[in-house]
Amino acid sequence: MSLNDQISKAAVLLEALPYMQSFRGQTFLIKVGGSAMEEQSLVDSLLRDIVFLEAVGINPVLVHGGGKAINKAMKDSGLEAKFIGGLRVTDEATISIVEETLARVINPDLVERIKALGGRSIGLPGTTVFSGKRMLGKDPSTGQSVDLGFVGEVTECNTEVIDLAVAGEVVPVVSPVAREIGTRNTLNVNADIAACALAKKLKATKLIFLSDVLGVMRDPKDNATLIPTLDEASIAQLKKEGIISGGMIPKVDSALDSLHGGVGKVHMIDGRIPHSLVLECFTDRGIGTEITL
């Protein structure tokens, strides 16, 4: 390695320094799911970033999805996955598979991989963190309410164990299921909804969604049209123009709800980019879309 290469590396560290100083002791709620969880090298890249965050004094809390793994487990069991308005219809057989896949496959795997990278981590089933109630879906073709079965929204978050983990410099890894209030039933919760609820309760400095798009774009087919910063007024305008539409509407709405609930900033970044978390949080330009009030 040449001296110039070494100097360039030092410059990268110095660019990150003010961000490390300002974020020290702050909580980042990171939600990962979809394509960002499919390629093992990208998962390792993300988890290495999370270990890095903790090492420089930031408190990362991870909420994970598991849709594709759940679909595979259902198929292996002879069950067909059905979705209404983006939410999984969850009967008794399905919720059993959801809970089994999250608690025995995905969650412990993430925990062990964080440990293998030199971090400390604890897996928390969402039923110990989230309490909730059942929610109805909406048929997109008719607009009518539809019973989704064991599908819920979060009404309460118990953060006692998370607070203890963070105080001990341990990364909590939380699955998106909730305990139904008044019963012992488990409810399947959309991971975005779970992440937003927990971020509000923790008053997270950042809520970061890792997905398979760069962020909010004026033209989804043109990466050069990425919009780096949005606020409430610009979101309203982009909705009017039809630029924010379809599945992006509930994402930006939940982002605004989180901000009104005490979250500092919301970031939407592409989890398929190696080390996207570090690039967004510790560089001057960032790589995704940040949303503020």
Side-chain angles (χ1 to χ4, degrees):
M1 181 184 297
S2 71
L3 179 59
N4 284 339
D5 288 337
Q6 291 176 301
I7 291 171
S8 295
K9 285 195 171 186
V12 170
L13 289 172
L14 291 173
E15 181 182 344
L17 178 60
Y19 298 102
M20 294 178 187
Q21 290 170 321
S22 62
F23 296 146
R24 188 168 184 83
Q26 304 299 310
T27 297
F28 287 11
L29 195 294
I30 301 151
K31 183 267 172 175
V32 60
S35 300
M37 292 185 66
E38 297 310 307
E39 191 175 326
Q40 296 309 304
S41 63
L42 290 177
V43 176
D44 282 338
S45 169
L46 166 66
L47 298 181
R48 193 177 294 277
D49 285 3
I50 288 173
V51 171
F52 177 82
L53 293 182
E54 200 285 317
V56 298
I58 295 165
N59 305 321
V61 177
L62 182 63
V63 172
H64 64 83
K68 291 189 178 180
I70 292 167
N71 288 347
K72 181 181 183 304
M74 289 182 66
K75 186 177 180 181
D76 292 345
S77 299
L79 299 174
E80 183 181 352
K82 182 181 178 184
F83 294 85
I84 295 177
L87 297 172
R88 185 186 301 274
V89 178
T90 308
D91 59 16
E92 197 166 342
T94 302
I95 191 62
S96 176
I97 289 173
V98 167
E99 196 165 20
E100 175 85 6
T101 305
L102 293 173
R104 302 216 171 181
V105 179
I106 299 172
N107 191 283
D109 177 62
L110 292 172
V111 169
E112 289 308 311
R113 289 166 79 169
I114 289 173
K115 291 178 179 177
L117 291 167
R120 300 170 67 204
S121 183
I122 182 172
L124 299 175
T127 47
T128 65
V129 176
F130 302 116
S131 300
K133 63 180 182 181
R134 297 196 193 201
M135 63 183 289
L136 295 173
K138 184 176 284 188
D139 188 322
S141 58
T142 65
Q144 293 184 328
S145 295
V146 181
D147 182 9
L148 299 171
F150 293 93
V151 174
E153 58 186 323
V154 176
T155 56
E156 247 176 82
C157 298
N158 176 11
T159 60
E160 185 178 351
V161 178
I162 291 175
D163 293 337
L164 288 171
V166 166
E169 300 181 352
V170 175
V171 179
V173 179
V174 187
S175 61
V177 287
R179 182 69 68 210
E180 184 178 20
I181 294 172
T183 76
R184 299 301 298 163
N185 293 331
T186 297
L187 298 177
N188 185 19
V189 179
N190 175 275
D192 287 350
I193 293 173
C196 287
L198 187 54
K200 287 193 290 184
K201 179 71 173 183
L202 294 171
K203 296 293 187 283
T205 299
K206 292 183 181 293
L207 169 57
I208 303 167
F209 292 101
L210 287 103
S211 66
D212 52 8
V213 293
L214 283 177
V216 179
M217 293 182 285
R218 289 188 174 274
D219 179 357
K221 297 178 182 177
D222 184 357
N223 290 348
T225 65
L226 175 72
I227 303 171
T229 304
L230 290 172
D231 59 19
E232 203 155 12
S234 57
I235 286 171
Q237 181 61 33
L238 290 171
K239 283 182 180 178
K240 282 183 184 178
E241 295 174 19
I243 292 169
I244 292 179
S245 61
M248 187 57 74
I249 291 176
K251 284 187 181 295
V252 296
D253 286 349
S254 63
L256 291 174
D257 177 64
S258 300
L259 293 168
H260 284 295
V263 172
K265 279 186 182 179
V266 178
H267 299 255
M268 295 182 177
I269 62 177
D270 192 340
R272 298 169 302 177
I273 298 172
H275 302 297
S276 54
L277 197 53
V278 164
L279 291 169
E280 177 69 8
C281 296
F282 296 111
T283 60
D284 294 335
R285 290 186 61 188
I287 60 165
T289 298
E290 67 172 20
I291 302 175
T292 62
L293 287 178

